[in-house]
Amino acid sequence: MPLQVTLSLVETALGYALRLLAQRAYTEKALREKLLARFSPLEVEEALSRLKGYGYLDDRAFARAFVEARKRYGPLKLKALLRARGVPEEVWGEVVPEATPEEALAVLRRYPHRRDKPRAVRFLQGRGFPLGVALEAYRRLAEEGEEG
């Protein structure tokens, strides 16, 4: 009889997890924490393994979509945001692109009121771009201003 109760609870945990995933995407860590508030660790692990088997729970896909939706941020900020959501380092290490001055320049162009150097560089660093990339982007922006 205890086996039936466990299977029934696993099905309940799986149903709850599917309802959560229908509302928004979760990382494995976040979904595990949410399920552990209601179910035992064994039931949670079984439900998570089934979800992974079905392809409904994929940290790589979550990280790719997360990065794609946040193009205005640099790699340092993206890595910090993914780390905070529980995405493993090997996943965000391969998903987050390296910073380029072109990307930083595109961000700067969207905010024309940030034209003085200290403000522009601080702004880009706050968006997660490394100092060297921020300085190069500002240099290119200044060159465009001189040409135009």
Side-chain angles (χ1 to χ4, degrees):
M1 190 71 176
L3 183 61
Q4 287 180 332
V5 171
T6 304
L7 287 177
S8 172
L9 288 174
V10 168
E11 295 298 325
T12 305
L14 186 61
Y16 180 64
L18 285 170
R19 282 194 305 277
L20 290 173
L21 288 170
Q23 294 171 4
R24 73 174 183 90
Y26 281 86
T27 61
E28 183 178 344
K29 179 185 175 196
L31 190 59
R32 177 178 284 114
E33 290 170 359
K34 199 91 160 150
L35 292 175
L36 282 173
R38 290 185 167 205
F39 303 99
S40 76
L42 291 173
E43 295 155 358
V44 169
E45 292 308 316
E46 177 62 28
L48 291 177
S49 71
R50 287 189 189 183
L51 288 171
K52 284 192 265 183
Y54 299 150
Y56 295 147
L57 188 61
D58 183 5
D59 282 348
R60 269 185 182 72
F62 174 88
R64 278 190 210 103
F66 188 88
V67 168
E68 187 65 30
R70 289 162 179 81
K71 287 186 179 270
R72 65 187 180 273
Y73 294 130
L76 301 176
K77 182 141 186 165
L78 288 171
K79 287 176 185 178
L81 290 171
L82 287 171
R83 189 179 314 122
R85 282 166 176 73
V87 176
E89 183 177 349
E90 63 272 2
V91 172
W92 53 256
E94 71 184 46
V95 172
V96 176
E98 290 298 315
T100 64
E102 291 79 22
E103 291 170 349
L105 184 58
V107 171
L108 265 184
R109 284 184 185 134
R110 280 188 253 156
Y111 299 93
H113 61 283
R114 291 186 172 24
R115 293 294 181 187
D116 64 316
K117 186 175 183 175
R119 253 180 111 182
V121 172
R122 263 194 325 270
F123 172 72
L124 287 174
Q125 284 187 293
R127 286 289 174 112
F129 290 96
L131 177 61
V133 172
L135 289 170
E136 177 63 19
Y138 180 78
R139 185 188 65 74
R140 291 183 185 182
L141 185 70
E143 284 177 1
E144 285 178 6
E146 290 171 5
E147 292 171 6

